[in-house]
Amino acid sequence: MGETVQQPTVPEQAGAPAVESTAGGREPLLEVDHVTLRFGGVVALDDVDFTLYKGEILGLIGPNGAGKTTCFNAMTGIYQPSQGEIRFRGQRITGKKKHHITKMGMARTFQNIRLFPEMTALENIQVGADAHHKTSVISALFRLPRHRREERDGLEKAKRLLDFVGISDRMHDAARNLSYGEQRRLEIARALATDPVLLCLDEPAAGFNPAEKEELLQLIRKIRDQGVTVLLIEHDMRLVMGVTDRIVVLEFGKKIADGLPAEVREDHRVIAAYLGVPDDDVA
Amino acid sequence: MTSVREWIASGRHAVSDRWHDAPRWMRWSVIAAVIVFFYALPNREFYQWLGPIPTTGSNFGQVLFTVSIYVLLAVGLNIVVGFAGLLDLGYFGFFAVGAYTVAVLTSPSSDLKTLWPWLLALPVALGLTMISGVMLGTPTLRLRGDYLAIVTLGFAEMIRVAATASDFLKGQRGFNQIPHPPGTHADGTPVFGVLDPRPYYWLVLTLIILVVIGVRNLNRSRVGRAWISIREDEDAAQLMGVPTFKFKLWAFASGAFIGGLAGALFAGKQNFVSSQNLELLNSIIILSAVILGGSGNIVGAIVGGGLVAYLIERFRGIEVLGIELYEYRFMFFGLVLVVMMIFRPQGLIPNRRRAAELKDRRKEVMVGG
Ligand SMILES: Nc1ncnc2c1ncn2[C@@H]1O[C@H](COP(=O)(O)OP(=O)(O)O)[C@@H](O)[C@H]1O
Ligand SMILES: [Mg+2]
C-alpha cells in the first residue's frame, strides 16, 4: 500500500498499556480520537478513543445499548461526532460523504440485515463491486467498451465472492428469499465486493447456533488472511475470544477496557459490566 | 373464485417461464412479430380484420398516435418511479416543457418570431427539459418520499399556471402553425402532413423502440443497479459506495428527457399547443399507467401506458342506455385501478423479482395458517 505511516497522534490512555505491547510499531489504520456523540440527552459515545492496526481482528464488545453500532455509524459517516474526530488511513473522515468513505476502503454489514431485497444475490454483490467502477450513463447507454469491461469484471468478482462465502447455489434468487444465515453471508460478500481495507461486521453471528457461529469464525479468519483488517462487533463475549487479536469494551458509551482477549476477560470492570454488577460495588 | 385465480396465475407463470427459457431466436422472432404488428396496425387493410379493436368514434390512426405518446411517457416515468423509486406526481410538467419549447421557437404566434424548423427546435427542447429536470431535482431529491411527491406536483401545476397566465406563453389562445417534422415523398408532398396521422405514429413507434433499447441498456448496467438499490434501501446503497444523489438526478434527467421528447413530438403533430393541453390529470394517468402495468418493468410500462390511453379513447362514441360512456371514462378508470390494487397490486406484468416476492408471501401466509 502506498500511504505513509501516520505519526500516532492519539495519546495512549493510561489504562490501556496492552495496545502498545501488542501493536508496537504497527501501522494504525483507523483512529477513533476521543469521540463523543450525543442524541439529544443520550450520550451514545462518551470520549471513546481507540486505534485499530492494520491486519488485526479487533473485537468491539459490550452489553446491549453500549454504543457499538453507534460507533460504526460514526465511522461510516451516518452520524457526525459531537466532539473528537475519526481518521482512516491517516485521513480525517468526519464530514466526508458515505460513499467516499466506502471508496476509501471501509465496508460494513448491518446488525439488522439491510440487503437490497428484490435484487438477486448476484446483483447485490455487483452493487458493491460498482463502488470502484467508473462507467458513465453515456457509456452504459451505448454499451461502450468501458461498460462491458467493468460489467464483466464485476460479474466475475461477484461470482467469486458468492463462492467465497459459500452461497453460489443461490446466485439468481432474490435476496429476500434467502435464509437468514445466507443473508448474513451475502451481506459480508457485498461488503467485500467494495474491496475494503477494513471490514466492519455488526453482530454477524446474531441468531446463529453454535455450529453456524463456528463456520462464521472460519470465514472471518479467511477474510483476515486475505489481508483485510476486521472490526467485529459482538455481543457474546465468548465468541470473540477465539478469533480476535485485541478487544475494546464499551459500556454506556464509555470505553472500559482495551487489550488482549485474555486480559480483557480478567478485567473486573468488564466482568461487572457483563454480570450487571453496579460500578460502585466493583470499585 | 380463488381456484380460478390460481389457475390464471399458474398459467401466467408457465407463460413467463416458457418465455424466459425459450431460445434466443424464438424470443427475437416473437418480438419482431409484435413490432411488425404495431407498424401495420394503423392501416385500414390490416385493422379491418381486428373486430372490435379499432375505435369507432374517432380516427384509429389518431388514437394510435395518442396511445403511442402515452406509452413513451410511461416508459420515461417508469425510470423515475419504477426503477429509482422516486414518486414524481408532476411528470407531465416535462411534457409541457418539451411541447412549449418547440412552440415558442417555431410558431409564428410566438413573441420570439424565431420561426425555427421543428427539427432544430427538438434538441433545444430536449436539452431544456433535461435542465428543468436537474433544476427541479437538485433541491428536491434530498427530500424523502412524500415531500418529493408534493414538490413535483407543485412543479407541474406551476408550469400550467405559467402557461395559462403569462402573455409570453399565450394562455388558452396558445401557439398555432407549429411546423411538422421534415421530410418529403418522391412526389414532393410532405411525409408529415395535416390529414394523415399515421406517419407521426410510425415516428413515435420508432422512437419508442430506440428509447426502450436505451433504457434497457441502462437498466442492465451499473446505472440501473444504482437506481434499484436506491429504491430498495437508500442508506445501504450509499454505504455500498453508490453516489445516490447523482444517480437520482440522472433518473430525473433521463425521465425528463423522454417526457420532453413526447412533448416535442406532440407539438410537431398537433400544430397547436395551448394551456388546455396541460391538465393535472395527465400526470396522474401516466402514473396509474405505470403502476397498472407493473412498476419497475419496461414491458409493464409499455402495456400499462398503451392500455390506459387506448381504453380511454375506446369509450369515445359508445352509448349505453343513452349514456355517453366517454363522459364517464375516468370513473371506469378509477374503478379499474381500485379493482387492480385489490386483486393484482404488483401490476399486470410485474417485475420478475417482485412477483416472486408476492408468491412467497402467499406461501408464508399459507404456512402460518
Ligand atoms: N438514532 C438514534 N437516536 C437516538 N438514540 C439513539 C440512536 N441510535 C442509538 N441511540 C442510542 O444510543 C445508545 C447506543 O445504541 P447502540 O449503538 O445501538 O448500542 P449497541 O449497538 O451497543 O447495542 C442506546 O442508548 C440507543 O438508544
Ligand atoms: Mg448494535
Side-chain angles (χ1 to χ4, degrees):
Chain A
M1 294 282 149
E3 76 270 17
T4 51
V5 180
Q6 279 294 115
Q7 287 298 110
T9 48
V10 191
E12 291 298 344
Q13 277 198 323
V19 177
E20 276 162 354
S21 62
T22 54
R26 282 208 274 163
E27 194 178 333
L29 183 64
L30 178 87
E31 298 155 88
V32 175
D33 186 357
H34 295 280
V35 167
T36 297
L37 203 151
R38 295 189 193 89
F39 294 110
V42 181
V43 185
L45 295 176
D46 187 353
D47 200 34
V48 171
D49 188 83
F50 66 89
T51 304
L52 176 61
Y53 295 90
K54 208 166 225 177
E56 69 179 344
I57 299 181
L58 180 73
L60 183 60
I61 67 170
N64 258 329
K68 305 180 297 290
T69 300
T70 305
C71 187
F72 266 25
N73 288 342
M75 285 161 48
T76 48
I78 297 176
Y79 300 137
Q80 299 305 323
S82 320
Q83 276 152 43
E85 68 171 40
I86 299 171
R87 285 181 299 278
F88 180 53
R89 306 175 87 180
Q91 280 186 54
R92 211 189 127 122
I93 53 168
T94 28
K96 275 209 160 69
K97 293 230 168 68
K98 289 172 240 178
H99 62 266
H100 281 307
I101 297 174
T102 307
K103 268 182 216 164
M104 284 175 69
M106 196 190 304
R108 66 171 289 177
T109 64
F110 301 86
Q111 185 174 348
N112 318 307
I113 300 170
R114 293 182 72 168
L115 290 161
F116 307 121
E118 286 179 25
M119 298 176 101
T120 64
L122 195 68
E123 287 169 329
N124 265 275
I125 306 179
Q126 280 178 293
V127 171
D130 284 335
H132 294 285
H133 287 173
K134 297 197 167 55
T135 298
S136 64
V137 172
I138 299 300
S139 175
L141 185 60
F142 297 108
R143 302 177 56 79
L144 300 181
R146 163 173 269 163
H147 158 81
R148 291 201 224 159
R149 178 163 33 84
E150 289 188 341
E151 205 63 13
R152 197 179 52 233
D153 293 351
L155 192 66
E156 200 180 291
K157 186 196 231 174
K159 286 183 178 162
R160 193 155 31 80
L161 283 168
L162 274 173
D163 192 47
F164 181 72
V165 300
I167 50 172
S168 290
D169 52 327
R170 307 306 305 269
M171 186 183 311
H172 296 297
D173 291 310
R176 72 172 309 282
N177 293 335
L178 267 54
S179 75
Y180 178 78
E182 288 168 336
Q183 290 193 9
R184 285 240 175 253
R185 282 160 180 276
L186 178 56
E187 253 205 338
I188 294 175
R190 183 180 65 172
L192 284 174
T194 66
D195 288 333
V197 181
L198 170 62
L199 177 66
C200 306
L201 304 170
D202 196 346
E203 305 207 15
F208 277 12
N209 65 35
E212 288 170 325
K213 281 185 181 174
E214 189 43 48
E215 269 179 59
L216 184 84
L217 293 185
Q218 299 287 349
L219 183 65
I220 294 174
R221 285 197 198 96
K222 241 172 34 175
I223 291 168
R224 195 262 308 269
D225 293 345
Q226 306 218 326
V228 179
T229 307
V230 178
L231 179 54
L232 173 66
I233 289 187
E234 190 42 64
H235 177 69
D236 176 356
M237 198 159 133
R238 264 169 309 176
L239 183 81
V240 282
M241 290 298 163
V243 71
T244 49
D245 300 313
R246 215 153 53 81
I247 292 177
V248 169
V249 189
L250 293 182
E251 188 195 15
F252 297 124
K254 286 200 179 76
K255 184 172 93 170
I256 57 167
D258 182 342
L260 297 172
E263 295 168 339
V264 166
R265 189 167 36 196
E266 304 302 326
D267 190 300
H268 63 279
R269 293 188 63 187
V270 177
I271 296 169
Y274 268 84
L275 297 178
V277 184
D279 266 0
D280 314 84
D281 296 9
V282 178
Chain B
M1 179 71 193
T2 358
S3 67
V4 171
R5 255 165 62 205
E6 293 284 323
W7 180 74
I8 292 171
S10 70
R12 204 186 47 82
H13 279 295
V15 169
S16 136
D17 287 346
R18 196 176 295 171
W19 173 255
H20 286 280
D21 296 340
R24 233 181 142 78
W25 65 265
M26 202 189 276
R27 282 191 281 172
W28 279 113
S29 24
V30 171
I31 291 170
V34 170
I35 290 174
V36 168
F37 173 84
F38 279 102
Y39 272 105
L41 196 53
N43 294 312
R44 194 174 168 68
E45 303 77 56
F46 181 67
Y47 72 69
Q48 63 180 336
W49 306 107
L50 295 179
I53 288 176
T55 46
T56 42
S58 47
N59 181 316
F60 190 46
Q62 174 60 37
V63 168
L64 285 176
F65 172 76
T66 309
V67 169
S68 66
I69 290 287
Y70 272 92
V71 168
L72 198 52
L73 287 168
V75 170
L77 183 60
N78 183 48
I79 297 177
V80 183
V81 177
F83 293 157
L86 303 165
L87 189 52
D88 182 351
L89 291 183
Y91 185 66
F92 203 69
F94 297 122
F95 175 95
V97 173
Y100 266 89
T101 308
V102 168
V104 166
L105 290 172
T106 63
S107 164
S109 22
S110 157
D111 294 343
L112 288 186
K113 298 278 180 272
T114 38
L115 301 177
W116 284 10
W118 181 83
L119 198 58
L120 191 61
L122 177 68
V124 179
L126 296 179
L128 265 184
T129 13
M130 271 184 98
I131 290 171
S132 68
V134 171
M135 270 170 44
L136 175 65
T138 306
T140 53
L141 288 177
R142 298 179 202 278
L143 307 175
R144 297 255 164 164
D146 3 5
Y147 295 103
L148 182 67
I150 290 167
V151 175
T152 49
L153 190 64
F155 162 75
E157 197 52 14
M158 221 168 68
I159 289 186
R160 194 187 64 81
V161 170
T164 314
S166 102
D167 279 343
F168 183 70
L169 296 177
K170 304 287 174 227
Q172 299 216 344
R173 277 179 301 127
F175 296 88
N176 51 31
Q177 293 179 55
I178 296 168
H180 300 295
T184 46
H185 289 296
D187 61 0
T189 54
V191 177
F192 297 97
V194 183
L195 293 177
D196 189 0
R198 289 177 306 170
Y200 297 96
Y201 164 73
W202 285 321
L203 175 65
V204 181
L205 188 56
T206 310
L207 287 169
I208 288 173
I209 293 170
L210 293 178
V211 165
V212 166
I213 292 171
V215 173
R216 200 179 106 108
N217 284 351
L218 288 182
N219 192 30
R220 296 182 165 196
S221 77
R222 170 187 185 222
V223 182
R225 281 192 297 273
W227 284 338
I228 295 171
S229 71
I230 290 167
R231 180 189 77 198
E232 300 283 279
D233 187 335
E234 191 169 343
D235 291 317
Q238 247 170 353
L239 288 166
M240 291 307 132
V242 178
T244 51
F245 181 66
K246 176 178 138 185
F247 279 111
K248 285 200 282 185
L249 260 190
W250 268 114
F252 241 56
S254 324
F257 177 91
I258 297 171
L261 177 64
L265 288 163
F266 176 83
K269 153 85 170 63
Q270 221 61 3
N271 205 301
F272 176 71
V273 169
S274 82
S275 63
Q276 277 170 320
N277 300 127
L278 306 180
E279 279 177 76
L280 173 67
L281 202 54
N282 289 321
S283 290
I284 308 299
I285 291 177
I286 302 160
L287 183 62
S288 328
V290 170
I291 293 169
L292 208 70
S295 185
N297 180 304
I298 303 175
V299 179
I302 295 172
V303 172
L307 216 55
V308 165
Y310 170 75
L311 287 178
I312 288 175
E313 289 299 322
R314 190 70 192 76
F315 278 123
R316 216 189 278 271
I318 298 180
E319 255 183 56
V320 174
L321 306 172
I323 300 168
E324 173 76 50
L325 282 188
Y326 189 69
E327 298 296 319
Y328 293 87
R329 63 194 185 279
F330 291 120
M331 198 187 80
F332 286 110
F333 182 51
L335 206 67
V336 170
L337 264 183
V338 171
V339 171
M340 275 289 294
M341 287 307 109
I342 293 171
F343 291 104
R344 206 170 162 69
Q346 71 274 45
L348 292 172
I349 306 179
N351 89 45
R352 264 192 118 198
R353 296 182 284 258
R354 200 167 281 185
E357 175 195 357
L358 287 160
K359 207 165 52 172
D360 240 48
R361 233 178 245 160
R362 189 172 323 143
K363 231 180 270 164
E364 275 165 34
V365 171
M366 271 157 44
V367 171

